Amino acid sequence: MSKNYVTMAHGSGGLETEKLIDEVFATAFGNEYLSQMEDSTIVCGSHKIALTTDSFVVTPTEFPGGDIGRLCICGTVNDLLMRGAMPKYLTCGFIIEEGASIDSLKTIAQSMGETAREANVLIVAGDTKVVNGKGDIYINTTGVGFIDKEQEELGARRCEQGDCIIVSGKLGEHHAAILSSRMNIENHIQSDCAPLNQMVVALLEEKIQIHAMRDVTRGGLATILKELAVASNKNFIICEDSLPVSDTIKDFCGLLGLDPLYMGNEGKMVAIVSKNHAQRAVEIIQSSSYGHDAAIIGHIENGDGKLLMETSIGGLRNLEVLTGEGLPRIC
Amino acid sequence: MMDLSVVKKYLREYNASDIHIMEVCGSHTAAIRKLGIQSLLSEHIHLISGPGCPVCVTASSYIDKLLQLARAGKCVVTFGDLIRVMGSTSSLSIEKGRGARVEIVYSPFELVKMAKSEPNTQFIFAAIGFETTTPIYALLLEQLITENIQNVQFLTALKTMPPVIEHLCSLSAPIDGFLAPGHVSVITGSDIFLPIAKRYHLPFGVSGFLGEELLVAIYGIVKAKDKGCVMNFYPTVVQAKGNQKAQECVQKYFVKTDAAWRGMGIISDSGLKIREEYNIYDAGSADLIEDKKSNQACRCDEVLMGKISPIQCPLYKKVCNPLNPQGACMVSSEGSCHAYYTNG
Amino acid sequence: MCVALPGKVIKLNDTDAVVDFNGNQLTAKTGLVDIQLGDYCLVHAGCILQKVEADEAKKLAALMEEIEAFT
């Protein structure tokens, strides 16, 4: 890896991204809020509010199952939900390269409107810049959500021995949908891009003992769980046979030498729930939109930040965060 | 079919003399790690990763030549694995960041469309691989010739397995058996390992890539210790004589040559190059034998030969990791050191 | 050594086949193997390497018997 140039691996959500954030941004403007490295940050005001920001640079801007418009709302909404905050307001900033079609912009804006309505959020501020280029479109959304002052904060620090690890559905679908068109592989894989309001609200209303939630985005489930294991200083143990993965995704990965554990989603979450509430939590998620394939995939033990998986053959595999871009390999 | 629980019990409880089994297939390295196979074996059964990853055994001078072509304005087309491998000072990934044109493909045949749509661009395919992939290059070359496509060339670093296996055996490395490469054997046939098996009294087990297939093959090798034999545990796709149509296609366009194996030096007749009469399709593959270690303390060569395990390399985890790889074994996701690091 | 997967041939012409892998379809070259519609085949880097002979269980069983005879 070059020390002086940004490479694509810096954008993968894995080890290189972490290093870039650490060395460039945290060094320059780190603080106690940023250093928690949760999906959004809780600060005080007259209510407790959660804040988050995300930028969206996916190409192509339209893909099976969604587009960058739907993605930029879901990504930020879900980051707020993962801290137990109710998303309320979003801002959006556009950087548009000269040559982008107005019709494309209209389609994207339409998607944003529909998804915002579905997620019960209002877009209350925005900005647009146009630069030289070849017609690409980039969007940043920043989101504000509110948290009940009495609610205990969710986060890695709350994970305990005996907690169950739940995933809300099938792995790898967003990443596979994007990659399929690039690699000339035809299938019916759709991005799972979706706002998770319904399942999170249902879990909180029933006072399920959730300790932490994370959405399973770039870097994949293994990266997210490993980060949680390290941040909580616990061992996370999962079972390969419990992982919800479609046969189509399995073979897609088999063709390209990829691993579903490291493929990103955009409409799935991991919930760390106390043992006694885990089964009920799964039922709640399964009866919500986008949660039909939810499953308990493992549990937490006291330890030192390992992520271990019992494989389908009964072996034990140690998992680390994603390194590199997760490019298809052949040889 | 054998009851897997019987196989697992035997392997877990094996208590006889220590046995070292080498696998020489990058996909086997990855599968063994992903499935946690070592955790199912007794402490007396040792799996060693040999030179089975074509990315790992490619000499640094090959990468340097590829980068030279990229900097000269050619479009380098490659499989994904090669993109982060360091030559003596740079990599395709770094050059791409600096503006060179590097395209990643799933199949070399995508070149045909690319070449036709850009007749003024010179395309170079980074043609590395073992016997599994070489027939594909042969078929592609045939298509380029037939359709008179003149703006595609190959930079080749093609290698064959039996010479390097023979080389390892001749060094008297502590190996008691081989997990033979599954997909190489599809093309070559399992019989290709018989002469070596008999000469050195070593069992070879041709294996697939599923957990069950690997365990049964390891079981067979352990049971057949000291017997010079080849056992085919992958008969659904591997035959004794292999795919003869593919072999003939390769012979039509390629000829044996000496090859440089990163960290091991030159092994005679262990490579393939494009035949003289089709030389216009070669981008300068001859004499790419120089191999410079980017870190002199790197012991990839000993890891590749199975002499040491990654954890015995002084750089492993201390200096060398996937973010800061010192040698090819850490760069490639099928390299032994990378597999150890990411899967424990 | 190389990433390859078995799939089913669902379309065929002189030089190419469309192969289905549990809902993923790609075009693979047929120049190295004589293949028929409906056959299962092993595909690597966009090329069919070999036909999959499903009925090999007997050969494997025979091999396992031989191995049990080793001391």
Side-chain angles (χ1 to χ4, degrees):
Chain A
M1 187 188 84
S2 166
K3 293 182 174 50
N4 299 317
Y5 297 94
V6 173
T7 67
M8 293 307 289
H10 286 111
S12 71
L15 214 49
E16 286 89 341
T17 307
E18 200 184 299
K19 205 167 143 61
L20 185 74
I21 292 170
D22 247 353
E23 287 182 359
V24 176
F25 302 115
T27 308
F29 51 76
N31 55 57
E32 63 176 290
Y33 296 108
L34 275 180
S35 64
Q36 286 170 33
M37 294 297 282
E38 295 282 356
D39 283 343
S40 52
T41 301
I42 299 169
V43 298
C44 285
S46 51
H47 276 83
K48 264 194 185 170
I49 64 171
L51 277 166
T52 191
T53 190
D54 211 342
S55 297
F56 300 88
V57 300
V58 65
T59 54
T61 51
E62 240 180 296
F63 41 82
D67 63 15
I68 193 174
R70 183 165 176 75
L71 195 56
C72 76
I73 304 297
C74 291
T76 295
V77 157
N78 290 341
D79 278 348
L80 292 168
L81 288 166
M82 293 302 102
R83 297 303 302 283
M86 288 306 111
K88 278 281 180 259
Y89 307 112
L90 256 54
T91 70
C92 63
F94 287 82
I95 296 178
I96 305 166
E97 288 184 0
E98 199 179 5
S101 104
I102 304 275
D103 278 343
S104 296
L105 267 177
K106 281 184 180 168
T107 307
I108 289 168
Q110 201 67 13
S111 277
M112 288 171 72
E114 281 163 13
T115 311
R117 281 185 286 280
E118 186 188 347
N120 251 327
V121 292
L122 289 172
I123 302 170
V124 298
D127 180 61
T128 310
K129 296 283 184 296
V130 178
V131 296
N132 293 329
K134 44 186 176 55
D136 285 337
I137 297 167
Y138 309 113
I139 309 175
N140 168 277
T141 49
T142 295
V144 170
F146 296 115
I147 301 180
D148 192 16
K149 254 194 179 154
E150 271 68 55
Q151 187 177 300
E152 228 183 315
E153 276 183 31
L154 304 180
R157 302 187 265 208
R158 301 251 334 263
C159 296
E160 285 172 13
Q161 150 113 342
D163 281 352
C164 288
I165 305 168
I166 296 170
V167 72
S168 65
K170 293 187 177 174
L171 301 175
E173 292 174 342
H174 178 75
H175 193 152
I178 303 281
L179 211 46
S180 293
S181 51
R182 283 194 207 153
M183 306 306 287
N184 296 315
I185 295 175
E186 280 185 33
N187 51 44
H188 295 296
I189 298 171
Q190 305 264 303
S191 165
D192 60 337
C193 180
L196 301 177
N197 304 61
Q198 205 186 69
M199 69 178 69
V200 173
V201 166
L203 288 168
L204 292 174
E205 272 179 359
E206 212 169 299
K207 304 221 184 305
I208 296 291
Q209 278 169 16
I210 308 172
H211 293 153
M213 292 187 286
R214 286 278 171 94
D215 64 348
V216 185
T217 52
R218 42 172 203 170
L221 179 72
T223 299
I224 303 302
L225 288 180
K226 177 66 182 180
E227 284 174 352
L228 267 173
V230 168
S232 62
N233 201 33
K234 298 272 181 285
N235 284 354
F236 280 44
I237 298 115
I238 60 175
C239 176
E240 187 170 21
D241 286 343
S242 310
L243 298 176
V245 185
S246 73
D247 286 339
T248 307
I249 296 275
K250 276 184 190 162
D251 268 23
F252 179 82
C253 290
L255 276 170
L256 299 179
L258 296 172
D259 189 338
L261 281 166
Y262 292 99
M263 307 266 291
N265 288 76
E266 286 291 344
K268 299 290 182 314
M269 70 163 190
V270 155
I272 310 299
V273 174
S274 78
K275 192 172 175 185
N276 297 339
H277 285 211
Q279 192 46 47
R280 182 63 195 135
V282 168
E283 286 161 13
I284 291 171
I285 300 171
Q286 280 173 346
S287 36
S288 70
S289 320
Y290 314 119
H292 312 291
D293 297 303
I296 298 173
I297 60 165
H299 67 278
I300 291 175
E301 290 176 2
N302 284 331
D304 54 357
K306 290 196 186 63
L307 173 61
L308 300 167
M309 183 170 80
E310 192 188 302
T311 69
S312 55
I313 200 73
L316 200 62
R317 178 183 173 191
N318 178 56
L319 291 159
E320 300 289 339
V321 298
L322 173 69
T323 50
E325 280 181 66
L327 287 170
R329 62 180 176 86
I330 288 298
C331 289
Chain B
M1 186 54 204
M2 190 94 206
D3 181 354
L4 197 64
S5 59
V6 170
V7 167
K8 278 170 135 178
K9 186 168 191 286
Y10 177 87
L11 292 173
R12 198 171 53 239
E13 294 174 2
Y14 176 81
N15 205 10
S17 56
D18 274 35
I19 180 167
H20 298 83
I21 300 172
M22 179 177 272
E23 45 84 2
V24 285
C25 167
S27 298
H28 273 156
T29 315
I32 285 165
R33 291 282 147 223
K34 273 189 177 173
L35 292 161
I37 297 279
Q38 186 70 68
S39 67
L40 294 168
L41 308 176
S42 122
E43 54 180 1
H44 297 289
I45 304 174
H46 308 272
L47 297 181
I48 313 166
S49 207
C53 159
V55 170
C56 300
V57 299
T58 298
S60 61
S61 55
Y62 176 88
I63 304 292
D64 290 343
K65 177 75 184 180
L66 210 50
L67 301 184
Q68 193 186 80
L69 292 163
R71 287 183 204 120
K74 326 260 177 183
C75 175
V76 170
V77 185
T78 178
F79 295 126
D81 339 43
L82 207 53
I83 214 141
R84 289 168 70 229
V85 180
M86 287 296 288
S88 43
T89 55
S90 185
S91 72
L92 284 171
S93 173
I94 293 168
E95 294 306 318
K96 188 174 180 183
R98 289 177 181 158
R101 200 167 153 209
V102 180
E103 305 283 350
I104 293 169
V105 292
Y106 160 69
S107 166
F109 292 100
E110 293 174 53
L111 259 179
V112 174
K113 197 173 167 188
M114 288 165 82
K116 284 179 176 174
S117 67
E118 291 182 55
N120 296 324
T121 306
Q122 189 67 21
F123 292 89
I124 309 287
F125 196 87
I128 66 165
F130 294 138
E131 292 98 323
T132 323
T133 320
T134 307
I136 295 173
Y137 298 130
L139 204 59
L140 175 58
L141 187 49
E142 189 158 80
Q143 189 177 356
L144 296 174
I145 295 165
T146 314
E147 297 184 28
N148 198 26
I149 296 169
Q150 296 193 1
N151 55 335
V152 175
Q153 285 182 315
F154 296 91
L155 192 72
T156 63
L158 300 168
K159 298 183 168 63
T160 56
M161 293 310 310
V164 72
I165 295 173
E166 172 94 58
H167 175 75
L168 288 167
C169 293
S170 71
L171 293 175
S172 309
I175 301 168
D176 303 301
F178 282 89
L179 210 50
H183 292 146
V184 162
S185 301
V186 167
I187 301 296
T188 62
S190 51
D191 276 359
I192 206 169
F193 303 109
L194 262 174
I196 304 172
K198 287 197 187 317
R199 193 156 34 245
Y200 297 96
H201 307 288
L202 292 173
F204 279 67
V206 181
S207 174
F209 300 84
L210 301 177
E212 298 85 352
E213 291 170 337
L214 285 161
L215 286 173
V216 165
I218 293 167
Y219 172 84
I221 294 166
V222 173
K223 281 275 201 173
K225 191 169 186 277
D226 297 323
K227 293 182 183 19
C229 63
V230 177
M231 298 168 287
N232 179 7
F233 294 102
Y234 202 18
T236 47
V237 286
V238 174
Q239 296 158 15
K241 302 294 172 206
N243 180 337
Q244 298 192 282
K245 197 173 179 186
Q247 290 167 30
E248 281 157 17
C249 197
V250 169
Q251 270 150 34
K252 192 174 174 188
Y253 295 102
F254 293 92
V255 68
K256 276 190 198 173
T257 186
D258 294 345
W261 293 68
R262 193 162 190 159
M264 278 188 279
I266 298 172
I267 300 175
S268 64
D269 276 354
S270 65
L272 290 165
K273 63 179 180 183
I274 293 177
R275 283 187 183 276
E276 191 70 41
E277 56 264 47
Y278 306 112
N279 231 351
I280 48 159
Y281 289 99
D282 183 270
S285 313
D287 300 327
L288 295 173
I289 53 171
E290 203 193 342
D291 186 39
K292 271 195 197 136
K293 278 186 189 180
S294 49
N295 184 328
Q296 290 310 307
C298 168
R299 291 170 74 180
C300 271
D301 47 352
E302 291 173 81
V303 173
L304 282 168
M305 286 194 270
K307 280 185 178 168
I308 61 169
S309 91
I311 53 179
Q312 292 171 285
C313 172
L315 300 177
Y316 178 76
K317 273 195 175 174
K318 298 188 184 72
V319 175
C320 187
N321 57 57
L323 269 193
N324 189 27
Q326 299 303 298
C329 297
M330 186 59 86
V331 169
S332 168
S333 57
E334 284 187 349
S336 311
C337 300
H338 192 283
Y340 254 82
Y341 191 97
T342 55
N343 287 303
Chain C
M1 177 230 87
C2 286
V3 177
L5 205 67
K8 187 176 180 182
V9 176
I10 58 170
K11 265 189 212 164
L12 199 53
N13 68 26
D14 279 345
T15 53
D16 297 344
V18 176
V19 187
D20 181 278
F21 307 83
N22 263 312
N24 298 284
Q25 290 172 9
L26 54 78
T27 303
K29 293 288 175 189
T30 57
L32 301 178
V33 183
D34 294 325
I35 206 91
Q36 308 293 333
L37 205 58
D39 281 347
Y40 281 87
C41 60
L42 192 67
V43 175
H44 165 64
C47 191
I48 296 176
L49 293 190
Q50 190 57 282
K51 191 173 150 184
V52 176
E53 301 289 352
D55 189 24
E56 291 298 320
K58 286 182 210 157
K59 281 192 185 167
L60 209 46
L63 176 59
M64 296 314 290
E65 271 182 40
E66 261 183 69
I67 288 166
E68 289 317 306
F70 295 153
T71 47

